[in-house]
Amino acid sequence: MAKANPDRAMQRGLQQADQRLTVGAELSLIRPLGRNSLELTAFAGYDFYNRNARLNRERIALDADAGLYFGNCQLQLNPRFERRQSDLAQLAVLNVPGIDSVRNTQTVQNYESSLQCGRANGLKILGSAGYTQGNNSNSLRRFANYRGHQLQAGVSYQNPVLGEFTATLGRDRITYPERSGTIGLSGYRIDQLKITGRREIGAILTANASLAYSNLDPDGPAGGGFKGLTWTAGLSAVPSTDLRVTLDFARSLNPSLGGEALYSRDTSYALAAEYALTPRTSVFSGVTRNDRRFANARSTQTVLLTNDRLDQLNAGLRMQVNRRLKLSLEGGHERRNANGTFLDYRNTYGLLTASITLGNF
């Protein structure tokens, strides 16, 4: 549970093995409103730890999507909110007496809107704008708080035979308000030319991919810029009505709330499968790998995180007991390999989830 080796867990004052009880309520809403639509998923709960009580924290999430039509134009609004205890794998040991390096509530907000105009099949003109921010509650973690603005414009083409393709030109601006006096780490700008596509290949396969040329320009000369390709690729296969297999790859540039770097360059791979044993019972399994490189990382901490790799393996069983009750049993193992053995760890976990549907409204 400490996401750390024995030495690091002891410095944090944490027990490596623990039991966590998460109690919460979720609301899922899907409403067609004529041509318009509204989807909402909200969760509010609290995490209780048996041994590491200092990690007790609220867990809140909200994801909404509203689609509004005006003639041949569609406006999409998508606000997202998440608040929880920081992932302990992101936090190093602070060399400051009296400051708790473990207790940190992380809050991330995203607000996106997009507008596209044109026929359902054919050429469309599109544009989007967004705002994002990430905040830490711990006073010494606020160095990583960020703000972001995004603008994007482009065209898309959709054909029932060929699929859907989009070309966009966008700019993202990320600033770190708590780093205004730190040369090279106060923010950066990304200009990006991106092409995306999605196509069904027969009745079994669905493929999606994106390729972008990204030019990341830091505010200062010591920031460490980036010029090159980022991408995503995904393949979903349904070889039978009982089996679904997905394969995903991605390379992206992201701000980080966990480390004192300008940004992280992430490369991820994921393979997952789910098989229906009966109409109410299915088994699932997956494996992922995520490599991260932190640009121009600096730290007041005793250990500096510059790069890491996290491998994860999981498997489990899902069961629809009756109309209201769902059960899920999952087990998994993860291994982290970072710069320096002090940041490495192995973790095995088990998870039991019970979900009761109170009613439909």
Side-chain angles (χ1 to χ4, degrees), residues 18-330:
D18 202 349
Q19 300 81 41
R20 185 185 75 196
L21 174 65
T22 299
V23 180
E26 181 180 83
L27 171 66
S28 297
L29 175 67
I30 301 176
R31 281 287 185 270
L33 305 171
R35 295 179 63 197
N36 305 320
S37 63
L38 174 64
E39 296 185 16
L40 173 67
T41 301
F43 178 86
Y46 202 86
D47 295 337
F48 297 93
Y49 289 80
N50 183 32
R51 298 178 178 178
N52 301 300
R54 71 176 68 180
L55 299 180
N56 292 353
R57 198 80 74 252
E58 69 272 17
R59 184 179 292 267
I60 303 171
L62 171 68
D63 191 344
D65 192 348
L68 307 175
Y69 282 86
F70 306 92
N72 288 330
C73 296
Q74 181 187 22
L75 175 65
Q76 292 287 140
L77 302 175
N78 182 211
R80 288 173 291 170
F81 177 91
E82 183 182 19
R83 182 178 175 87
R84 60 178 177 81
Q85 163 69 33
S86 290
D87 187 338
L88 296 183
Q90 308 287 343
L91 306 180
V93 178
L94 292 173
N95 190 22
V96 180
I99 296 295
D100 187 347
S101 66
V102 175
R103 288 184 59 87
N104 183 63
T105 305
Q106 173 181 301
T107 305
V108 177
Q109 302 176 59
N110 291 281
Y111 304 94
E112 300 176 2
S113 63
S114 63
L115 178 67
Q116 57 181 355
C117 295
R119 296 177 300 171
N121 291 318
L123 193 65
K124 295 182 182 180
I125 299 175
L126 57 88
S128 65
Y131 172 78
T132 182
Q133 69 175 46
N135 295 295
N136 292 304
S137 64
N138 189 300
S139 59
L140 292 184
R141 302 291 175 191
R142 292 173 187 167
F143 185 82
N145 292 356
Y146 65 82
R147 305 288 183 270
H149 299 82
Q150 302 90 33
L151 289 174
Q152 185 174 268
V155 295
S156 70
Y157 177 79
Q158 183 171 341
N159 183 282
V161 177
L162 299 178
E164 183 177 356
F165 303 90
T166 303
T168 58
L169 180 64
R171 169 171 290 184
D172 291 3
R173 178 77 175 103
I174 300 294
T175 58
Y176 297 91
E178 305 291 335
R179 304 183 188 180
S180 56
T182 306
I183 298 176
L185 291 178
S186 59
Y188 60 87
R189 184 189 70 207
I190 301 180
D191 293 320
Q192 189 175 79
L193 176 62
K194 185 176 183 180
I195 299 174
T196 64
R198 182 181 183 277
R199 188 170 187 269
E200 294 183 357
I201 306 172
I204 296 177
L205 296 177
T206 301
N208 63 83
S210 70
L211 181 65
Y213 178 79
S214 301
N215 180 13
L216 188 150
D217 187 17
D219 289 348
F226 174 86
K227 292 183 179 180
L229 297 176
T230 56
W231 66 81
T232 64
L235 187 65
S236 176
V238 187
S240 69
T241 57
D242 299 326
L243 177 63
R244 175 179 293 274
V245 180
T246 58
L247 181 63
D248 294 287
F249 305 91
R251 186 187 191 189
S252 59
L253 307 173
N254 300 293
S256 176
L257 272 177
E260 298 177 358
L262 184 64
Y263 64 93
S264 68
R265 187 171 71 248
D266 303 350
T267 305
S268 61
Y269 315 87
L271 173 65
E274 183 165 2
Y275 182 77
L277 299 174
T278 71
R280 291 191 173 190
T281 306
S282 63
V283 292
F284 62 91
S285 181
V287 58
T288 63
R289 166 169 287 186
N290 190 21
D291 287 294
R292 299 184 302 174
R293 298 292 184 269
F294 296 94
N296 202 31
R298 306 175 189 178
S299 182
T300 58
Q301 305 167 2
T302 58
V303 179
L304 176 63
L305 179 62
T306 61
N307 61 274
D308 70 352
R309 186 183 72 202
L310 183 63
D311 296 319
Q312 297 173 301
L313 173 68
N314 75 315
L317 173 73
R318 296 189 180 100
M319 180 181 298
Q320 181 81 46
V321 179
N322 53 44
R323 186 170 60 90
R324 295 185 179 274
L325 177 62
K326 295 180 182 179
L327 296 178
S328 174
L329 179 64
E330 179 183 339

